[in-house]
Amino acid sequence: MDKIFDLIVVGGGPAGLTACLYARRFGLEVLLIEKLTLGGTINLTDRVDNYPGFPEGISGKELGNLLADHCLAYDTETVYDEVKRVTAENGFFIITGEYNNYQSKSLIYCTGTKPKTLGIAGEDRFFGKGVSFCAACDAYMFKDKEVAVIGGGDSAVVEAIYLASLCSKVYIIHRRNQLRAVKSLQDKLVKMENISIVWNSIPLRIVGEKEVTGLEIKNVKTEEIASIPIKGVFIYVGETPQTELVKNLVNLDENGYILTDESMQTSTPGLFVAGDVRKKPFRQIVTAVSDGAIAAFSAYLYLEELKR
Ligand code: NAP
């Protein structure tokens, strides 16, 4: 741990990659630490139709690669390591990874969110064998088969539309009688003949012996219980912010998202947060990259102030 970086960015999704790109342009010595793959969860999204500059839409993987290439074009030092601990000591940030330790004068934390689970019978048991949180990864296993998507938000609808292009039938199980997803997605959805929405219903258990054979659901209005014969269940019931490593250094809102001011500054000087892990009104790729740029600018100003 000899080198002290000006800035460490934890998380290589759109927010982190943009933070690095801007920080490098400000002339900062930057280290990007990513656990798995640059691009983040957009790599798992089939299509992105609302990122400005791509009027025809773009695949999530392609956009993730372009953001990563743009970041690396500025010679951003990058390591693949899983961060286990973050501490702030005497004005420095010490990052303990699985393989190495790292040190910096400022930190931008961009770890995003992870999918919420349902906590119903069969969810754990059939995970990877009929239960999935990623249609782009697993849809091929259900080609020409019937599947269920749980949830009524943007993710559920985007992924249901993708699944409908491969699967024979897609049931959307939603707990209310109105979708949360934006209108443009709902308009696309109604055009898909092989998608059926099951309103006012919640999943009770995922049924099967060796493989998934059905989903038991309950109508929350009538209390009626029904069984749908499906081979796969895709769960999109929202996200949980990944704050575990910094929760002692920041303030969180009632849902666990990190509070920042408009410069992305947290309650610890020099610690900035960008992207979906932050409390904000609108979680989109475009707002994540915006956060990343602002956080990098704020880190630059913070470091300039330290020199005075
Ligand atoms: P979300 O907007 O929080 O929607 C979660 C959905 O799951 C809601 O419909 C919710 O029902 C339902 N739900 C929650 N808990 C449930 C439970 N225990 N049982 C059954 N249903 C449950 O989450 P998201 O769709 O993953 O989206 C996360 C963020 O990413 C949002 O800000 C979204 O706009 C953004 N996003 C944007 C795009 C895009 O612009 N193309 C794509 C994907 C995601 P209720 O509606 O009744 O609460």
Side-chain angles (χ1 to χ4, degrees), residues 109 118 124 138-139 148-149 195 207 217 236 247 256 268 283 296 304:
Y109 193 75
L118 287 167
D124 285 348
D138 299 330
V149 171
I195 298 182
V207 184
I217 58 168
Y236 290 103
K247 66 179 186 206
T268 296
R283 291 193 175 80
E304 284 297 297

Side-chain angles (χ1 to χ4, degrees), residues 1-10 20 23-24 27-34 74-81 87 89-96 100-108 270-272 299-300 302-304 306-307:
M1 192 173 59
D2 298 335
K3 186 164 177 179
I4 300 177
F5 289 90
D6 292 327
L7 170 68
I8 287 178
V9 174
V10 177
C20 291
R24 289 293 295 146
L28 304 185
E29 287 270 10
V30 182
L31 176 69
L32 170 62
I33 307 178
E34 164 57 44
Y74 286 90
D75 296 325
T76 305
E77 201 169 327
T78 306
V79 291
Y80 291 89
D81 198 351
T87 52
E89 290 166 26
N90 308 320
F92 293 99
F93 293 93
I94 316 288
I95 316 293
T96 310
N100 257 311
N101 297 331
Y102 315 92
Q103 198 173 349
S104 64
K105 297 177 206 159
S106 65
L107 176 66
I108 302 180
L271 172 53
F272 305 87
Y300 167 70
Y302 171 79
L303 292 164
E304 284 297 297
L306 287 185
K307 290 180 192 162

Side-chain angles (χ1 to χ4, degrees), residues 50 118 151-155 174-176 180 236-238 283-284:
N50 55 3
L118 287 167
D154 288 340
S155 300
H174 184 40
R175 63 184 179 183
R176 291 188 291 137
R180 179 179 290 277
Y236 290 103
V237 293
R283 291 193 175 80
Q284 298 281 304

Side-chain angles (χ1 to χ4, degrees), residues 276-290:
D276 283 5
V277 71
R278 186 174 89 79
K279 177 186 165 70
K280 58 191 211 165
F282 201 33
R283 291 193 175 80
Q284 298 281 304
I285 304 167
V286 76
T287 63
V289 300
S290 165

